[in-house]
C-alpha cells in the first residue's frame, strides 16, 4: 500500500506514518494541501491519501475539492483526519468527495478499520 499523508503537524505525520508502515505501507508526506497536490504529480499514484482539514496555504477541504476536480484522481481514496468534530463539517468533507472521516485523537485500530472499509490492505 502506498499512502500520502498531508498534515501541517510533523508530529501527526510521524504518527500516521508509523501506523501505515506497521501495516506494510510506504508513506510520502506533505505539509499542506498545496504541497500535497504537487506531491501527487511527482510520486507514483498512492492507494490512499490521509489529509488534515486545518492547514495553511490550502486546507484539507480545498485539497479534496481540487483532487475531485481532476479526472486522474477522481477515484483516489481520500480520508480526512482532523480535529473538526462537528457533524456539519463531516458532511461538508464527504460532500466534497472525502471517502472516510476520522476525528483526532484516534487509535491505530480506527485507521486500520477505515483502510479496510476503503478496501486497502
Amino acid at each position: 500500500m502506498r499512502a500520502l499523508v498531508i498534515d501541517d503537524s510533523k508530529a501527526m505525520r510521524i504518527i500516521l506514518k508509523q501506523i501505515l508502515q506497521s501495516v506494510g505501507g510506504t508513506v510520502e508526506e506533505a505539509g499542506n494541501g498545496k504541497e500535497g497536490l504537487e506531491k501527487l504529480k511527482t510520486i507514483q499514484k498512492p492507494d490512499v491519501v490521509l489529509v488534515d482539514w486545518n492547514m495553511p496555504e490550502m486546507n484539507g477541504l480545498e485539497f479534496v475539492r481540487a483532487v475531485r476536480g481532476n479526472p486522474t484522481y477522481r477515484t483516489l481514496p481520500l480520508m480526512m483526519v482532523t480535529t473538526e468534530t462537528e457533524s456539519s463539517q463531516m458532511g461538508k468533507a464527504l460532500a466534497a468527495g472525502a471517502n472516510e472521516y476520522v476525528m483526532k485523537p484516534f487509535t491505530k485500530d480506527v485507521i486500520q478499520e477505515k483502510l479496510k472499509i476503503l478496501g486497502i490492505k
Side-chain angles (χ1 to χ4, degrees), residues 3-120:
L4 173 59
V5 173
I6 306 170
D7 199 305
D8 60 323
S9 165
K10 180 142 180 81
M12 188 55 59
R13 290 195 311 268
I14 290 169
I15 291 166
L16 287 168
K17 185 175 185 175
Q18 289 174 342
I19 291 170
L20 295 166
Q21 287 176 333
S22 76
V23 295
T26 59
V27 181
E28 295 282 343
E29 300 176 38
N32 62 55
K34 186 176 176 183
E35 286 179 19
L37 286 177
E38 290 302 312
K39 189 72 86 163
L40 280 177
K41 295 175 188 175
T42 63
I43 63 172
Q44 185 177 359
K45 188 175 177 182
D47 298 307
V48 64
V49 177
L50 291 81
V51 60
D52 184 28
W53 189 305
N54 298 301
M55 298 178 290
E57 293 191 53
M58 175 185 270
N59 69 36
L61 187 61
E62 294 165 333
F63 173 84
V64 169
R65 288 179 177 147
V67 167
R68 290 300 181 235
N70 182 332
T72 303
Y73 302 114
R74 279 216 180 102
T75 61
L76 178 64
L78 303 175
M79 185 186 311
M80 186 75 74
V81 182
T82 181
T83 57
E84 295 291 338
T85 58
E86 295 288 324
S87 60
S88 64
Q89 297 297 76
M90 184 186 307
K92 284 181 190 177
L94 297 173
N99 300 94
E100 284 296 331
Y101 195 95
V102 176
M103 293 178 218
K104 296 176 185 173
F106 54 83
T107 64
K108 176 181 176 180
D109 291 341
V110 168
I111 298 296
Q112 288 178 310
E113 183 61 31
K114 294 294 185 176
L115 290 171
K116 283 181 190 172
I117 289 169
L118 292 172
I120 299 165

